[in-house]
Each structure stands twice: as structure tokens, then as C-alpha cells.
Amino acid sequence: MQPPIHEFPLCECRQQSVSALCSSFPSTKRSAVQMGDVVKDLAAGTVGGAANLFVGHPFDTIKVKLQSQPAPAPGQLPKYAGAIDAVKQTVAAEGPRGLYKGMGAPLATVAAFNALLFSVRGQMEALLRSEPGVPLTVKQQCIAGVGAGVAVSFLACPTELIKCRLQAQSSLAEAAAASGVAVPKGPIEVAKHVVRDAGARGLFKGLVPTLAREVPGNAVIFGVYEAVKQYLAGGPDTSSLGRGSQIIAGGLAGAAFWLSVYPTDVVKSVIQVDDYRNPRYSGSLDAVRKILAADGVKGLYKGFGPAMARSVPANAATFVAYEITRSALG
């Protein structure tokens, strides 16, 4: 007699397989949501970065000109008497377009830079958040800013090196004329000259002060932005804040950024515009010592006025553009 065929175990296996397949749907859905959030942060960060660049680049040009102007010979006046004089000389020599000189390099990478900044910050927020939808504390926003600052430093360094060398061409031109070397005229040409003189590593000259600026600076900017928003909202839920409050929070956050890290930006700028073949500075500490010896502490704050004048409108534009785009994307 043939033994009966038992189908229940097979049914149970099928049911278990179906159950396992169904249970995988939530994790797949979560992954899709997370990927969607990354894409939204990338898009919103790109728009915010473009707004920052168009509003703030003229101020940045003047800042770099003041930071990188050579020390005057004994008994002579500096090339620029101050920010207003730098604007006048730039416009007189190059027209208004001179204030936007060097914008090609950051414009070409602004999408990548700010997309990376805000997407890494968004992923850090997701890791730090105790439950979905729960607002982060100010401390947690600072930690998220640290992670974002580390990530963007490696993109900011070569980009800003090219930008600074273009912006400081008036002072570099004098050194180039003395050595008989032609001054490069665009971002690609600058990059080629740097690689020719120092190899690919030359594009990362000033990485240490860039990290020293971006890591604490982004901890401050995101922490202050969140703190001001929570203050204006009267609590951790800031979803109902209007654009005016976001402008205030973004402007104050930008000002706090430069107040906290400005000397490191000066060191970064002088190192990045330094001559590769006959460098004046052997490193960041040597640059600090020589700046202090030549100009005292005030030498570490050259161009501070234009930087602060830029930081409020430019960062207000960044955060508002980011918030508008992020909200529109859902």
C-alpha cells in the first residue's frame, strides 16, 4: 500500500517563503525612501549652492584680494587700502566682471559641493535621529555638520585653490612677470599649470587649513541655524517658520561660521596662492608665524569685512533656497 502524500509541510514552506518575501517589502520601501531623500537633498543643495554663489562671489573676490596682496616694501603703502578701495581698483581695471572673476571653478562644482554637503548632512541626521520625523537637537545638528565638513573638504580644497589663484591674479601677475612665466587665464589652465608644477597633489595644497575651516565651521553653521530656528519657533518643531525667519537664521548662521574660523581661511588662501616653485610658506604653522610676524594678529583677519558682509546675504540665500526646493520636492 502506497503511503499517503502529506502536502502540509510543502504548504508551510510556501507560506514561509511568501511571508519572507512580504517581510522584505518594508526594508525595500525604506531603502527607496532613503534614496529619495538623498536625491532631494542633492537637488536642494545644488539650488542652495547656486544662490550662495551668485549672491556672495563679488564679496569673496574682494576678500581673497585683501588676503593675498603682498606685503608692501618698507615705506610703501599696500596695494589696497581696504575693501572699498579694492572694489574701486578691480572695477576700474577689469570692469564689474572682475568682481566675478574665478567664478567658473566654483560654478562648475557648486552642484557637487553643496549637493555633497547637504546630502551627507541629511544622512548624518538620519543616523542621529531617534525616530523618523523627530527633530534633531542643536548638538546633533553640530555633529551632522562635522560629518558634512569632513566630506566636503576634499572637494572644496582643489576647487578653492583654482578660484583663489584666479582671484589673486593681480598680485600673482607681478611675480609671474618677474620670473617670465605667463599667468594662466582660466580654471582649466590654472589646473594644468598646478599639475605641471606640482603634480596632482598640488591641487590639494591647503587641505589641512581647509579641513580646519570646514569641520568646525559646518558644525557651527548648522548648529546655529537650528538654534535660531528653534528660538524663533519657540520649540523644537520649526516646520511652521516662514521665509523671513529662515532668512534670519541663515544669515546669523553664516556670520557665526566666519566668526569661528576666519583665521584658518586666511591661512588657506595665502598657502593656495603661494608659488609652487619658490614657496614662501612651508606649511600652515609657518604661514601663521610669518603672518603674525609681518602684520600681527590683524593679519589673520585680512578681508574680514567683505567676508562678513558676504556671509549674511549669501548664507541666507543658501538656506532659503534649500528649504524652498526641499519643501517643493516633498
Side-chain angles (χ1 to χ4, degrees):
M1 180 176 179
Q2 189 176 0
I5 299 175
H6 299 287
E7 295 183 0
F8 292 106
L10 182 59
C11 291
E12 289 175 1
C13 289
R14 286 174 178 168
Q15 289 172 354
Q16 290 171 0
S17 299
V18 171
S19 298
L21 182 62
C22 291
S23 65
S24 70
F25 289 162
S27 61
T28 304
K29 186 176 180 180
R30 282 196 299 271
S31 298
V33 170
Q34 290 172 354
M35 183 57 67
D37 287 340
V38 170
V39 172
K40 291 172 184 176
D41 282 331
L42 289 171
T46 299
V47 175
N52 180 296
L53 187 63
F54 283 110
V55 172
H57 192 80
F59 296 96
D60 191 62
T61 296
I62 300 305
K63 172 181 73 72
V64 172
K65 283 180 178 288
L66 291 172
Q67 288 176 340
S68 60
Q69 64 177 324
Q76 293 186 352
L77 296 174
K79 182 177 179 64
Y80 304 113
I84 301 299
D85 183 50
V87 172
K88 289 179 179 178
Q89 288 195 43
T90 300
V91 173
E94 306 172 59
R97 290 177 59 186
L99 296 172
Y100 284 90
K101 201 165 192 178
M103 197 172 80
L107 184 60
T109 56
V110 67
F113 179 88
N114 284 279
L116 181 62
L117 178 69
F118 280 96
S119 61
V120 171
R121 175 218 181 191
Q123 291 306 297
M124 290 290 293
E125 285 181 337
L127 289 172
L128 294 167
R129 189 172 283 117
S130 57
E131 294 179 18
V134 175
L136 265 64
T137 64
V138 172
K139 181 179 179 181
Q140 288 173 321
Q141 285 288 359
C142 290
I143 296 171
V146 167
V150 172
V152 300
S153 293
F154 293 90
L155 182 59
C157 184
T159 302
E160 295 206 6
L161 181 141
I162 294 170
K163 173 183 70 70
C164 286
R165 294 183 77 83
L166 284 169
Q167 290 173 323
Q169 272 188 344
S170 56
S171 57
L172 293 175
E174 297 171 6
S179 60
V181 178
V183 176
K185 296 181 179 180
I188 302 300
E189 198 172 341
V190 168
K192 287 180 179 178
H193 273 67
V194 169
V195 173
R196 184 195 64 195
D197 290 344
R201 289 179 58 188
L203 293 170
F204 289 89
K205 190 175 185 179
L207 179 60
V208 171
T210 300
L211 282 162
R213 184 192 69 179
E214 293 295 328
V215 174
N218 278 292
V220 168
I221 197 170
F222 286 118
V224 170
Y225 182 64
E226 186 63 27
V228 174
K229 286 201 305 178
Q230 290 188 15
Y231 174 80
L232 295 173
D237 183 6
T238 62
S239 59
S240 61
L241 285 178
R243 301 304 176 206
S245 297
Q246 292 170 357
I247 289 173
I248 293 171
L252 291 175
F257 178 98
W258 286 115
L259 281 169
S260 63
V261 299
Y262 192 80
T264 62
D265 186 69
V266 173
V267 173
K268 178 195 73 68
S269 293
V270 299
I271 287 176
Q272 289 186 324
V273 302
D274 199 11
D275 188 13
Y276 282 92
R277 296 179 179 179
N278 299 296
R280 182 181 177 188
Y281 309 106
S282 61
S284 298
L285 292 178
D286 183 52
V288 172
R289 283 195 293 265
K290 288 179 176 175
I291 290 170
L292 290 175
D295 302 308
V297 175
K298 69 178 183 179
L300 293 172
Y301 287 89
K302 278 185 178 180
F304 184 69
M308 290 301 292
R310 171 191 181 276
S311 67
V312 175
N315 284 285
T318 300
F319 280 105
V320 170
Y322 172 83
E323 298 281 9
I324 291 173
T325 307
R326 192 66 173 81
S327 177
L329 293 173

